[in-house]
Amino acid sequence: MTAAVSLIWLGLLPLLVQSLDFTYHNSSQLEAILKDFNSRYPAITYLYSIGKSVEGRDLWVFVVGKYPTKHTVGIPEFKYVANMHGNEAVGREILLHLIEYLLTNYQSNATVTQLVTNTRIHLLPSMNPDGFAASSPNDCDSVNGRFNKNGYDLNRNFPDAFEENKDPVQPETQAVMGWIKSETFVLSANFHGGAMVASYSYDNSYTVPPDNDVLMYLAQKYSENNLQMYSSNSCPGFSGFTNGITNGAVWYKVKGGMQDYNYIYNQCVEITLEVSCCKYPDPSTLQGFWNDNKVSVIEYIKQVHMGMCLDIFIQ
Ligand SMILES: *[C@@H]1O[C@H](CO)[C@@H](O)[C@H](O)[C@H]1NC(C)=O
Ligand SMILES: *[C@@H]1O[C@H](CO)[C@@H](O)[C@H](O)[C@H]1NC(C)=O
Ligand SMILES: [Zn+2]
């Protein structure tokens, strides 16, 4: 090749950016991917860390939005949180693929353009990076990596309105609590694995929440766009759900959970999404999980625009 021709080839290289692969990405890869997206789409993205895990890993949040760096009047704040149980790994990759989908479809797809223009979307792909580092693929049922490095279950670590939670607040929980206080989030979901269902508050009381109709509607908005979830019987041993949704406490009671904390103390509806029967399935299944969830993740974000006025109010 002559020098001139190779220069032309080098000039083309930046255009040939590879799309995100369907595999699990460790902490350093995840950080590199987020920084790469941020540098390729600086106008509509913002990357920040809300704190560090016990082992010192950053808890990265990636924002997609027309005004990504700060709140703008009239533009609601939305969030997705994944991987708070470190061994429940599918949501972590779903969020990375969602970022790529939003960025590559902005300005070419009208729906995505409108969503990114009118919403500030915050994505925390891993709330428990230490737990993820301690877990491994094809481990469907164990608790290896579920807890943070100090051995606490982060989804039992939040202040609880129904029962005193005496567990010391962990760095990851503290970071999320500070984050929730610093942004006016109005809608959220957190991703888990080990079942297929969208679960809604309350998690720690059989009382019917004042916004029960809204919560059920939102959970079903997610489930009805995921056929596996909606069929309610896709995981062995689970057949008691209807339309892929359940009240949290009716399924099993959770003290110190994140979704009740968001809803009760912060007037932000959060639902819990169980998206895979196996907690950490083989990487070859990831493309299928993305396909099964990609309509739901978009439809659920859209709901932030339906204009919710909640009845819940606890100071
Ligand atoms: C992350 O994965 C990459 C690619 O497999 C590997 O080179 C790197 O050592 C891993 N990093 C850590 C901290 O495990
Ligand atoms: C645009 O994106 C929406 C939301 O993801 C999707 O439902 C729709 O099929 C896309 N439109 C086209 C023309 O690809
Ligand atoms: Zn979980």
Side-chain angles (χ1 to χ4, degrees):
M1 228 189 285
T2 69
V5 172
S6 33
L7 275 177
I8 290 169
W9 276 102
L10 282 172
L12 282 174
L13 268 178
L15 299 174
L16 304 172
V17 174
Q18 277 198 328
S19 58
L20 185 64
D21 48 355
F22 285 98
T23 183
Y24 293 104
H25 300 95
N26 64 26
S27 280
S28 37
Q29 292 171 309
L30 183 141
E31 188 173 316
I33 290 165
L34 297 180
K35 287 181 174 166
D36 178 50
F37 280 142
N38 183 221
S39 69
R40 280 156 57 200
Y41 298 88
I44 53 161
T45 68
Y46 179 52
L47 180 62
Y48 64 103
S49 168
I50 56 169
K52 284 184 192 290
S53 67
V54 173
E55 289 188 310
R57 294 184 172 90
D58 271 305
L59 304 174
W60 290 112
V61 174
F62 193 88
V63 178
V64 183
K66 189 170 183 192
Y67 305 101
T69 57
K70 60 175 184 2
H71 182 66
T72 301
V73 173
I75 296 185
E77 307 285 335
F78 176 94
K79 69 178 157 69
Y80 275 138
V81 174
N83 199 216
M84 73 187 297
H85 291 143
N87 61 335
E88 298 171 15
V90 173
R92 176 179 168 117
E93 296 302 328
I94 287 179
L95 291 195
L96 293 182
H97 284 279
L98 173 60
I99 293 170
E100 181 180 58
Y101 183 80
L102 292 172
L103 298 181
T104 55
N105 283 281
Y106 179 67
Q107 286 180 331
S108 60
N109 174 302
T111 308
V112 172
T113 305
Q114 202 181 8
L115 205 58
V116 171
T117 303
N118 298 324
T119 326
R120 191 158 167 248
I121 304 162
H122 303 246
L123 305 151
L124 171 57
S126 182
M127 183 178 159
N128 184 1
D130 299 351
F132 180 78
S135 55
S136 32
N138 299 303
D139 182 354
C140 291
D141 304 309
S142 93
V143 294
N144 294 336
R146 175 184 178 89
F147 309 109
N148 81 338
K149 190 63 185 177
N150 292 336
Y152 287 95
D153 186 329
L154 300 177
N155 205 25
R156 307 289 185 277
N157 198 232
F158 284 83
D160 191 299
F162 302 104
E163 220 182 328
E164 191 189 353
N165 192 352
K166 294 205 175 93
D167 284 349
V169 176
Q170 295 301 299
E172 296 87 355
T173 311
Q174 193 67 58
V176 167
M177 287 169 62
W179 182 39
I180 293 171
K181 292 294 178 205
S182 70
E183 299 286 353
T184 51
F185 291 115
V186 287
L187 187 63
S188 175
N190 73 81
F191 287 83
H192 291 257
M196 290 276 253
V197 71
S199 151
Y200 54 90
S201 283
Y202 296 127
D203 262 338
N204 198 23
S205 169
Y206 299 114
T207 322
V208 176
D211 304 289
N212 195 50
D213 50 350
V214 178
L215 302 181
M216 287 182 72
Y217 168 87
L218 289 167
Q220 185 152 334
K221 196 42 94 176
Y222 195 95
S223 75
E224 72 191 12
N225 289 293
N226 178 328
L227 293 181
Q228 294 297 321
M229 189 183 283
Y230 196 60
S231 72
S232 286
N233 55 7
S234 29
C235 299
F238 289 97
S239 55
F241 305 133
T242 304
N243 298 342
I245 67 172
T246 185
N247 169 272
V250 167
W251 185 19
Y252 62 90
K253 276 185 121 183
V254 168
K255 178 173 103 178
M258 188 163 69
Q259 77 172 357
D260 279 2
Y261 176 76
N262 271 271
Y263 173 54
I264 297 170
Y265 291 106
N266 300 280
Q267 294 79 48
C268 169
V269 172
E270 178 169 280
I271 62 169
T272 299
L273 300 168
E274 303 275 358
V275 296
S276 62
C277 301
C278 177
K279 291 179 177 181
Y280 199 154
D282 194 83
S284 65
T285 62
L286 284 172
Q287 181 144 26
F289 281 113
W290 166 243
N291 290 338
D292 289 347
N293 285 279
K294 71 188 219 187
V295 177
S296 292
V297 287
I298 297 284
E299 286 302 313
Y300 188 74
I301 300 174
K302 278 190 195 168
Q303 303 311 309
V304 78
H305 295 286
M306 77 178 182
M308 279 179 290
C309 192
L310 299 177
D311 290 322
I312 186 88
F313 194 75
I314 298 178
Q315 282 291 14

